[in-house]
Amino acid sequence: MTSESSAIRADLRRRRDETAAQVAALEDDLRSLFEASRSSNADDEHDPEGSTIAFERAQLTAVLDAARRRLADLDAALDRVDAGGYGVCERCSRPIPAERLAARPSARTCVACAERR
């Protein structure tokens, strides 16, 4: 493994660890929300004071789903580093520009192929 791929792998690993911690925290938050709503008999659907538990649950679930997708994308990027295919477009096999990888380290396609999607 080259020093460049080692640096890329270390950065992806750091991002993956941060995202995994975020997923774990969001799962705990969601679990707590479910437990709180189970033990409450409040009619939150008609509470003029704020958002409903159902809305909070849906919002938290959406954020958790996005974090899980990001985690899977980072795992796939780490696999590509190990296989030697990181930074190569999966559609056209051209290099993915460094700027795109800096903005989106788990990118699988170059800008042109991503725009065609």
Side-chain angles (χ1 to χ4, degrees), residues 14-27 67 71 74:
R14 178 188 56 77
R15 291 172 188 262
R16 191 221 179 272
D17 291 346
E18 289 171 358
T19 303
Q22 182 184 28
V23 166
L26 289 167
E27 287 171 341
L71 185 61
L74 289 165

Side-chain angles (χ1 to χ4, degrees), residues 55-67:
F55 175 78
E56 288 180 34
R57 186 173 43 233
Q59 195 172 32
L60 188 54
T61 299
V63 173
L64 177 57
D65 288 345

Side-chain angles (χ1 to χ4, degrees), residues 14-89:
R14 178 188 56 77
R15 291 172 188 262
R16 191 221 179 272
D17 291 346
E18 289 171 358
T19 303
Q22 182 184 28
V23 166
L26 289 167
E27 287 171 341
D28 286 345
D29 290 348
L30 189 59
R31 195 174 308 107
S32 295
L33 185 62
F34 279 126
E35 289 170 7
S37 65
R38 210 174 312 135
S39 64
S40 171
N41 63 355
D43 180 13
D44 73 326
E45 294 299 321
H46 299 96
D47 182 3
E49 295 297 317
S51 62
T52 65
I53 291 174
F55 175 78
E56 288 180 34
R57 186 173 43 233
Q59 195 172 32
L60 188 54
T61 299
V63 173
L64 177 57
D65 288 345
R68 286 176 175 156
R69 281 191 305 276
R70 193 168 47 256
L71 185 61
D73 288 345
L74 289 165
D75 283 337
L78 283 163
D79 290 344
R80 289 192 304 278
V81 170
D82 292 342
Y86 182 80
V88 177
C89 179

